[in-house]
């Protein structure tokens, strides 16, 4: 029997197999889980910082008001290795809070002016704090701040800017004071390289922001400061807050109106102290160039210029070489140049510069001059004193010097004010002149002459010794010793002779009687002499009888 070969027929199964339900369901569940995962992750935040100390990917949390709102997922260096890029995944509900005004900073243990903060991070580790802003513009890239902000961006109050050429002195967190009461805080401090000035941002909280007007002035307030100058000792004691850290004070100047309120970002000038504000008010002045042929040690820029005890200006520069060629030669020949300012506001309230120039010109023609005076004996601080003395005599040499100084000041572009030496300088000059005269004395000739004089004196003394010896020999001579007895006998004879004319002797009584007789004769001759004096021919002709005296009639 032969087997018949047959082929199998393949038929495609067209019905759906239930086995595919399981993988399809798994894929759908995976896709749903992936979608739900990304939906719950929220926005990706990028933070930029220079140092990522303490920040760990997958561990460091981002918090706001102690509530977790995100987590750091990566910490990497930038391509140019200049900064650190921190990536963080935020929760979905936090995405609307990530705007242009949001601020981020690292919370870690710190010791500052406000005390010790961040102690809770010693166990849990550092975290990043989020402070949301109120801007409507979303922003997912921010700079990580080095320190926490002083106040929220939307905090009620006003923020202003201060500018100063002085570096240092203030830092973020320093207080802002109004008459000793703390009303705000210094938020930012940075140095502008383009203008070479230091910029500060101040926050004045509500309700004290109404104190900030266009006419307020700011100055640096230290805990304790003193200034010894030509005007004396000035002591400024601040509040207890500024004793350690310093701060900024502001107020209206006496007599000034408050002015209009200011907006955020208004810039003011920061003065070194309150006294410099008053000096800065005198913006209208006339400058003069002075030449002193004496030491200006102790004279500094800012020293007062006074007229008979009243301040009328300020020293601008000591010395002033900026517009003068060959300064060393000028100092040797014409004197050290000093630039001063005569400020119009110190003299009269409404005095114009043209009137001030005219008045000063008249005063200089009338003999006004400048002199250095000592303002403080302890520090040696000097000031410039102006005075008018029309009787000052200027010799020919001084006139030539003043003409040279005038030409030099005109070439520098400033009018010149004559100067003269102060009283102490004149005394010093006279002492130096006297010392020069003493130094020029012929000391060697005097010493030679003195030596010759001493030799002559020595010879004279030897001659005197020989003379004394000869005198002693003369006194020892017996004949010389008899002289006192003979001299005593002569004196006794003179005494007996004088006793003959002494009162009570006959010669004395006779002489006394003759003198009395002579006195009586002279008394009797006195009328005759008077008659001859009145009528010289009375010895020849009879003299007229004198008339009786008549009394004078009384005045009507």
């Amino acid at each position: 029997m032969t087997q018949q070969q047959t082929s199998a027929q393949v038929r495609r199964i067209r019905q759906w197999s239930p086995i595919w339900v399981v993988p399809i369901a798994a894929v759908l569940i995976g896709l749903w889980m992936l979608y739900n995962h990304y939906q719950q992750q929220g926005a990706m935040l990028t933070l930029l910082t220079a140092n990522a100390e303490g920040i760990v990917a997958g561990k460091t949390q981002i918090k706001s008001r102690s509530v977790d709102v995100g987590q750091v997922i990566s910490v990497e260096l930038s391509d140019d290795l200049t900064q650190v890029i921190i990536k963080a995944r935020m929760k979905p509900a936090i995405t609307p809070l990530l705007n242009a005004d949001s601020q981020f900073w690292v919370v870690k243990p710190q010791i500052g002016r406000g005390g010790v903060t961040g102690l809770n991070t010693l166990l849990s580790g550092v975290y990043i704090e989020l402070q949301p802003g109120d801007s409507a513009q979303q922003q997912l890239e921010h700079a990580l701040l080095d320190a926490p902000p002083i106040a929220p961006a939307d905090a009620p109050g006003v923020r202003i800017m201060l500018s100063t050429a002085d570096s240092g002195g203030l830092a973020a967190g320093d207080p802002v004071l109004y008459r000793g009461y703390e009303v705000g805080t210094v938020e930012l401090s940075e140095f502008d390289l383009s203008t070479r000035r230091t910029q500060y941002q101040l926050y004045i909280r509500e309700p004290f922001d109404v104190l900030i007007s266009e006419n307020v002035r700011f100055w640096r307030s230290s805990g304790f400061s003193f200034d010894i100058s030509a005007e004396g000792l000035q002591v400024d004691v601040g509040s207890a807050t500024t004793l350690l850290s310093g701060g900024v004070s502001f107020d209206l100047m006496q007599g000034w109106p408050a002015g209009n309120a200011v907006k955020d970002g208004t810039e003011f000038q920061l003065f070194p102290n309150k006294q410099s504000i008053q000096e800065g008010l005198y913006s209208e002045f006339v400058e003069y160039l002075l030449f002193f042929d004496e030491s200006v040690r102790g004279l500094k820029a800012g020293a007062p210029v006074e007229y008979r005890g009243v301040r009328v200006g300020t020293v601008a520069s000591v010395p002033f070489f900026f517009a003068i060629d060959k300064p060393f030669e000028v100092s040797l020949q014409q004197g050290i140049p000093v630039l001063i300012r005569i400020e119009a506001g110190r003299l009269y309230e409404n005095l114009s510069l043209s009137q001030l120039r005219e008045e000063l010109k008249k005063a200089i023609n009338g003999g006004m001059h400048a002199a250095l005076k000592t303002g403080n004996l302890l520090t040696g601080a000097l000031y410039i004193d102006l005075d008018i003395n029309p009787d000052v005599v200027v010799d020919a040499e001084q006139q030539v010097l003043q003409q040279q100084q005038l030409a030099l000041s005109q070439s520098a572009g400033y009018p010149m004010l004559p100067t003269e030496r102060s009283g102490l300088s004149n005394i010093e000059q006279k002492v130096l002149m006297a010392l020069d005269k003493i130094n020029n004395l012929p000391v060697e000739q005097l010493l030679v002459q003195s030596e010759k004089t001493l030799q002559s004196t020595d010879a004279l003394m030897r001659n005197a010794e020989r003379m004394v010896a000869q005198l002693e020999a003369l006194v020892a001579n017996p004949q010389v010793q008899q002289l006192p007895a003979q001299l005593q006998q002569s004196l006794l004879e003179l005494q007996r002779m004088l006793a003959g004319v002494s009162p009570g002797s006959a010669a004395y009584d006779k002489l006394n009687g003759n003198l009395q007789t002579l006195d009586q004769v002279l008394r009797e001759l006195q009328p005759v002499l008077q008659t001859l004096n009145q009528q010289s021919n009375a010895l020849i002709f009879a003299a007229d009888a004198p008339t009786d005296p008549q009394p004078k009639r009384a005045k009507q």
Side-chain angles (χ1 to χ4, degrees), residues 5 78 122-123 222 237 329-330 339 370 374 405 435 440 460 471 483 533 552:
Q5 189 175 0
S78 61
L122 292 175
L123 299 177
S222 59
V237 180
E329 182 178 347
V330 169
L339 186 66
T374 302
Q405 294 174 350
L435 293 177
N440 295 329
L460 180 62
L471 183 59
L483 289 177
N533 187 26
K552 294 182 180 180

Side-chain angles (χ1 to χ4, degrees), residues 242-263:
T242 60
L243 283 175
L244 299 177
S245 61
V248 178
S249 297
F250 71 93
D251 202 349
L252 285 170
M253 296 295 98
Q254 186 175 4
W256 282 34
N260 300 325
V262 300
K263 300 180 180 179

